[in-house]
Amino acid sequence: MFFVFYLLVVNTPKYGVGVEVGILGYELFLKETVSNKKNHTPGWDFQTTPIGLDFQNVSYLNRISGKSMFVGLKDKNKREQVVWDLDIQLTTGKETGLKPFYLGKNNYIGFETSKFLFGVGRREHKFRPQSFQTSFDCGDGVFLEFQPQTNLTLQFFLWDQYSGSLIFQKDRFHSLLSYSNKGKTGPWEDLEPKEYKQSHHRRHSFGFVYGDNLNLRLGIQYIELGSWGRHVKDSPRETKNSGADGDSLVNGNLGLGWDLYILELKFDFLWAKGNDRTNSKIANSPGSIPISGEAIQWGAELQFGDVLVRSSHFLSDREERNSKNQIIREGYVSLGAHPGQTPYISQIFQIFPSAAVTESGYEKNIALRNGKCFGYLSELVLQFTYHQFVAKMVGSYFLPYKVGGSSDGRISFHKRDFEVFYIGEGLFELSLKEISSFELGIGFSQVFLPESIGIKSNFGYVFGRLEI
């Protein structure tokens, strides 16, 4: 760290480190209502419990407000063949529910030649699926990048300490529904994800991007799960002999992109293969459940002058179950950050449209909160820019597969295979931006849930950022 500081500040005064200061304020309202509607959601854990009519008759069951700040350091430059791209944000800490610091999309120092870049730190995956506007994945470790020609880039992540590819923009609202109800009985007791022993979760990745206006993307990733997550368990004997017991996952994507000046099209085919050792009684084969799943992503963006319209979609397969409701094989498992950008679905509730490997490990959870469940996720973005003002509206829609009963485990387009309810969200955001050095804005979000759930909630926030 001293060498980096000396290189950036002391030895080369002509290279200035950018300082970024940001603020974030928010207020969330959550109301539990009494509903006479029949519950059409069997098998789902909505992690709510009746608090009592006295509370249900007041305006809001929960009103949560707070604020946080961050200070960021940014610098991107080179000195001879030594290059660096530094981006780190220090936050106000655990009292606001945030991590002490967040790395940006890139945060590395490396050695660069005309065709090679060898670096240590964080480097974003250029080959990741790109159908969603804010999709993100990266490697945190040692990487090699090779560009034999201008329209071909190959990335090798030799070692990656995978931890969910968290960035501040994707994690700033995740803890708004505080976990302060642990003294109460009922499902609220176990809302907070447990801290799991994070062993063997190294990842190795390879991918390339080829082409310009018409491009091809390919990525392959291997990760060892060990005892990391709610659904994995080490075998002591095999761990002692081999360092891991076989809980692992291979994840891949093959994608096409086509840029037609004002219209951009994206498509990705995703797949996952692996093994989950488990003692669960719902496993068809005692001791382990094979993972073999697929998913597809597609999207289109139209930008005409100051108007931008983007439509993005994600559809996964599901677990294969027999007539006894036992799992024969698991479905698709995703890596990286949540693809969506609306606060409730991507952060406050954290509903992934498939099983996922997050910062807490391998997770599959049929629940409203911290849900990692198979289904269909759609996002529509409407954005208008006028000089420095940006108005943005985002609508998100999640439709899960039915829970329970036999299933062939395939991707389905039939209505009968999905639940009768959906989870929706609408977001409106208005901001003032000055190139990349200043930003000030407000946002409002409303979540839409079936009446039988008995929850109503909306959320507002203000944000600001100044780069010196």
Side-chain angles (χ1 to χ4, degrees), residues 390-402:
V390 179
K392 186 176 185 179
M393 293 181 291
V394 185
S396 290
Y397 174 93
F398 175 66
L399 183 64
Y401 283 109
K402 283 184 178 179

Side-chain angles (χ1 to χ4, degrees), residues 84-89 99 101-109 117 119-125 136-143 145 155 157 159-170 203 337:
W84 59 89
D85 187 351
L86 304 180
D87 186 359
I88 185 170
Q89 294 166 320
K99 297 184 182 300
F101 69 91
Y102 291 87
L103 300 180
K105 292 185 177 181
N106 291 287
N107 187 78
Y108 65 87
I109 182 170
L117 170 61
V120 177
R122 168 171 287 191
R123 181 63 165 166
E124 66 177 321
H125 287 180
F136 177 70
D137 199 359
C138 66
D140 291 307
V142 181
F143 67 90
E145 200 165 290
Q155 290 183 305
F157 290 85
W159 181 82
D160 171 16
Q161 184 76 3
Y162 181 79
S163 58
S165 302
L166 288 181
I167 54 177
F168 179 74
Q169 293 82 355
K170 290 279 191 177
R203 180 171 64 161

Side-chain angles (χ1 to χ4, degrees), residues 128-135 217 256-258 262-268 297-304 307-313 339 341 378-384 392-396:
R128 69 183 184 278
Q130 297 180 3
S131 299
F132 284 76
Q133 191 177 44
T134 60
S135 64
R217 299 183 305 276
L256 289 171
W258 196 9
I262 65 171
L263 178 64
E264 188 175 13
L265 304 174
K266 304 283 187 181
F267 177 84
D268 284 275
Q297 281 192 29
W298 68 98
E301 179 178 293
L302 176 66
Q303 185 163 9
F304 189 76
V307 178
L308 181 146
V309 181
R310 187 183 186 103
S311 179
S312 305
H313 309 268
Q341 59 182 299
S378 176
E379 182 178 273
L380 177 64
V381 180
L382 303 175
Q383 182 174 303
F384 175 72
K392 186 176 185 179
M393 293 181 291
V394 185
S396 290

Side-chain angles (χ1 to χ4, degrees), residues 11 70-71 108 174 193 265 317 324 333 448 453:
N11 194 41
F70 69 86
V71 176
Y108 65 87
H174 86 279
L265 304 174
D317 64 357
K324 298 179 181 179
V333 182
F448 302 96
I453 296 179

Side-chain angles (χ1 to χ4, degrees), residues 54-94:
D54 291 339
F55 289 93
Q56 293 168 345
N57 291 332
V58 299
S59 297
Y60 290 98
L61 177 64
N62 284 312
R63 179 173 176 172
I64 302 167
S65 60
K67 59 185 181 296
S68 60
M69 295 183 62
F70 69 86
V71 176
L73 300 177
K74 289 186 176 183
D75 191 55
K76 184 177 182 180
N77 224 312
K78 66 182 299 181
R79 185 171 183 266
E80 296 178 352
Q81 290 183 306
V82 177
V83 298
W84 59 89
D85 187 351
L86 304 180
D87 186 359
I88 185 170
Q89 294 166 320
L90 308 177
T91 73
T92 45
K94 290 186 176 180

Side-chain angles (χ1 to χ4, degrees), residues 286-299:
S288 67
I289 300 177
I291 300 172
S292 180
E294 295 86 30
I296 52 176
Q297 281 192 29
W298 68 98

